[in-house]
Amino acid sequence: MSTVSPPSTSGVQAPDIQAIVRQVIAELTGACGQPAAAAGSPVAPAAAASAAGSFAGRHGIFASVDEAVSAAQEAFEQLERLGVEGRRKAIAHIRRISIDDAEELGRMEFEETKIGRLEHKIEKLKVLGERSPGVEFMQSEVYSGDHGLAVIEHAPFGVIGAITPVTHSLPTITGNAVSMIASGNTVVVNPHPSGKRVAAEGVRRFNAAIHRDIGVDNLVSLVAEPTLDTASALFNHRGVKLICVTGGPAVARAALESRKRAIVAGPGNPPVVVDETADLDRAARSIIYGAAYDNNLLCIAEKQVFVVASVFDRMMAAMERAGGLRLSTRQVDELTKKAIVMVGEGAHRHPAPCKDLLGQDASLLARAAGAEGRTGLELVFGETDNDNPFVPTEQMMPFLPFVRCKDVDEAIRLAHESEHGFRHTAIIHSNNVRNMSRMGRLLDTTLFVKNGPSVAGLGLGGEGYISFSIATPTGEGVTTPLTFTRQRRCTLVDDLCILGSPDSLSR
Ligand code: NAD
């Protein structure tokens, strides 16, 4: 690995993981292995202030899964003592950093991962800082009656193991951290190797600020050099009480097969149906906004469109009016050859996006297809058959295949097939509530958006809170603090309930 300049809270360069680890360890370890007060260091005051924790001052960066889990366990016990107010303070720092440093961290993520769109990397962090669900979700339920009180509280699990994707490396960690800490947990993250530097820098900033304020470090810990082996070690670690996985089919399958309880935010392939009653211009604007957001990297983003034949040509014209670039049949074929490749062996052989084009700009896709790109182009699209490989593939690039369907029944049926039963996300543009209901019932997806862009389903331009972990196969939906809790019932018999009958007290 190349050597990059050491991390700085104001620097714009993506820091080298080993440099961060070296710096933190050097600051902590004196000649006798005792914590050293490294004067002038950004972490020195925090390290000196909290001698309580043996991992204090590491700011969440660890070389091994064992150490990361031990540090997160220590942080969990410390957080427990600080109550809900401690959680609230910790989260406030994560929110503030996500908003204030969004520009710098978003750029870092963009430069490291080399996929998506810079403005959306920045926006994702800001919105998460503003709208991730926090401690306000931690409401207890109370039952009162003749026999007293029963209070249902939502208790933490302890240390959670999280696996995060390259498509939103730091945003996933940010959303997970806010929800998990709000419910009193701590988390160890095994980030995607291609987004590990920005993940580490975000985690370091979160922990440094929290440590300075409340004296607890490592609420969010991270494996600095993540591999499939470290992911597996995290899955199987005795100290990890719950797993939360955000990623594609392989990691979702591994989590579902794990012996631990897992919250699985798996892959999607969201279809769109446009029927003859739709407002076509509104549909076109929505499809472009959702499908082009961060160059189609989002698991909820529009991936293929089924349009009824009677409005097909008008819909294609509306897409052009809204700014999309229509490819000819020959150009679509050319792009398909370059953009979709076959992977896997035997029965597991399937089409997948070519890494060179994944998350790239629409104008680059246009050029790959043999068309002319143009500045500001957000999306390319074209008519395809239903058996074009773009239809079943989660392409994660700003090209959308449009399939002509004889009627809405066929459109809904093909949409259902293309979603592969993930039950993740679906979108319809229609003014016929029967069509909406039929599609909603058949696809039975976690998010179902009507007459808007997919991202509205996450609260971007629609209502609701946001998270970038949408638990689909395990059913928790858009994750909140309550997703990461155990129910605990506390019962008081006969007393403290004014509804109880006077007789119950004399018994
Ligand atoms: P990916 O599956 O390649 O990687 C995700 C994470 O899993 C990475 O950290 C990777 O290192 C790890 N991983 C991969 N295979 C593993 C295995 N066998 N065991 C343990 N760990 C493993 O996905 P990606 O390219 O980073 O992200 C895109 C995918 O994630 C898409 O399929 C997208 O739909 C999905 N996603 C889902 C959600 C959601 O909320 N449901 C959110 C974001 C992304």
Side-chain angles (χ1 to χ4, degrees):
M1 179 184 285
S2 63
T3 308
V4 189
S5 51
S8 121
T9 46
S10 59
V12 290
Q13 274 186 306
D16 175 279
I17 297 290
Q18 288 176 353
I20 297 178
V21 174
R22 272 198 306 275
Q23 181 193 344
V24 171
I25 291 173
E27 281 161 356
L28 280 176
T29 315
C32 308
Q34 298 300 314
S41 136
V43 296
S50 177
S54 53
F55 295 97
R58 300 283 290 272
H59 299 337
I61 313 298
F62 293 93
S64 80
V65 170
D66 267 344
E67 261 198 324
V69 173
S70 301
Q73 177 61 33
E74 181 179 87
F76 171 69
E77 287 160 18
Q78 293 169 347
L79 182 67
E80 211 169 22
R81 290 196 283 275
L82 296 181
V84 176
E85 195 46 34
R87 303 178 195 177
R88 198 189 306 277
K89 283 185 178 166
I91 289 169
H93 288 292
I94 298 178
R95 292 191 190 286
R96 177 183 51 74
I97 290 165
S98 295
I99 296 167
D100 292 355
D101 298 0
E103 195 106 12
E104 188 187 345
L105 291 168
R107 183 174 295 281
M108 222 179 250
E109 173 138 6
F110 181 65
E111 287 172 358
E112 180 183 7
T113 62
K114 301 182 176 59
I115 53 176
R117 287 168 59 179
L118 176 59
E119 68 266 38
H120 297 143
K121 302 285 182 218
I122 295 169
E123 185 176 63
K124 287 194 289 187
L125 286 170
K126 279 198 175 135
V127 175
L128 279 163
E130 287 160 1
R131 294 176 57 190
S132 295
V135 289
E136 68 283 0
F137 268 66
M138 300 300 298
Q139 302 289 330
S140 300
E141 293 136 50
V142 179
Y143 293 82
S144 68
D146 288 349
H147 294 295
L149 291 178
V151 181
I152 315 280
E153 290 180 321
H154 301 280
F157 275 89
V159 177
I160 300 176
I163 310 277
T164 54
V166 67
T167 46
H168 337 282
S169 188
L170 187 54
T172 309
I173 295 174
T174 305
N176 280 179
V178 169
S179 281
M180 291 169 184
I181 294 170
S183 44
N185 301 283
T186 57
V187 53
V188 175
V189 182
N190 198 69
H192 193 289
S194 303
K196 66 185 177 186
R197 289 202 298 266
V198 67
E201 182 56 13
V203 161
R204 192 186 69 77
R205 290 183 192 198
F206 296 158
N207 283 310
I210 295 168
H211 189 200
R212 249 191 318 268
D213 184 15
I214 65 170
V216 181
D217 200 358
N218 308 311
L219 289 177
V220 190
S221 293
L222 172 134
V223 181
E225 293 296 340
T227 61
L228 287 185
D229 287 341
T230 57
S232 161
L234 194 58
F235 273 16
N236 295 309
H237 200 289
R238 285 184 59 183
V240 171
K241 304 299 182 215
L242 178 73
I243 297 167
C244 176
V245 159
T246 309
V251 71
R253 224 175 4 256
L256 290 168
E257 285 164 6
S258 133
R259 278 170 297 155
K260 287 209 169 83
R261 168 139 191 243
I263 310 290
V264 181
N269 193 36
V272 185
V273 164
V274 180
D275 78 7
E276 60 278 20
T277 69
D279 174 338
L280 300 182
D281 284 313
R282 177 177 171 155
R285 283 195 305 274
S286 298
I287 290 170
I288 292 179
Y289 187 72
Y293 194 89
D294 210 13
N295 279 346
N296 200 254
L297 290 179
L298 271 62
C299 57
I300 61 161
E302 292 81 351
K303 297 287 191 291
Q304 57 281 341
V305 187
F306 302 92
V307 186
V308 299
S310 59
V311 293
F312 189 89
D313 294 329
R314 282 193 282 138
M315 182 64 199
M316 298 303 258
M319 287 293 293
E320 288 185 281
R321 273 198 303 281
L325 176 71
R326 183 175 183 172
L327 301 182
S328 67
T329 309
R330 193 179 46 76
Q331 289 166 338
V332 170
D333 289 346
E334 192 58 31
L335 182 63
T336 308
K337 271 191 262 158
K338 291 182 177 156
I340 307 289
V341 294
M342 294 303 289
V343 297
E345 297 298 327
H348 298 291
R349 200 158 167 75
H350 62 92
C354 162
K355 290 224 160 33
D356 293 345
L357 294 180
L358 191 146
Q360 299 308 309
D361 288 345
S363 46
L364 195 144
L365 299 188
R367 285 197 296 278
E372 272 202 28
R374 58 173 188 252
T375 318
L377 178 65
E378 292 193 283
L379 188 85
V380 283
F381 69 101
E383 180 170 3
T384 72
D385 292 336
N386 187 50
D387 46 18
N388 180 292
F390 266 110
V391 174
T393 304
E394 189 189 18
Q395 69 268 41
M396 294 186 273
M397 63 184 78
F399 168 79
L400 286 192
F402 276 63
V403 179
R404 194 185 292 259
C405 302
K406 74 175 184 316
D407 54 23
V408 71
D409 290 344
E410 184 178 69
I412 293 175
R413 182 174 59 75
L414 295 181
H416 183 222
E417 268 174 35
S418 73
E419 216 267 324
H420 307 299
F422 289 146
R423 297 198 292 178
H424 194 298
T425 298
I427 301 108
I428 188 169
H429 294 275
S430 170
N431 281 303
N432 179 326
V433 288
R434 285 270 153 77
N435 290 347
M436 293 178 186
S437 307
R438 272 162 50 218
M439 181 167 173
R441 284 190 193 126
L442 182 65
L443 274 77
D444 193 15
T445 46
T446 306
L447 299 183
F448 183 36
V449 180
K450 293 136 212 138
N451 297 328
S454 55
V455 286
L458 273 192
L460 286 167
E463 292 299 326
Y465 48 84
I466 191 163
S467 152
F468 280 99
S469 293
I470 301 141
T472 39
T474 49
E476 293 80 4
V478 181
T479 50
T480 73
L482 292 178
T483 309
F484 305 105
T485 58
R486 300 150 37 231
Q487 273 204 11
R488 206 165 56 182
R489 183 187 288 206
C490 176
T491 303
L492 177 68
V493 180
D494 288 344
D495 272 318
L496 280 186
C497 178
I498 54 168
L499 297 175
S501 75
D503 288 351
S504 65
L505 284 178
S506 54
R507 274 203 295 268

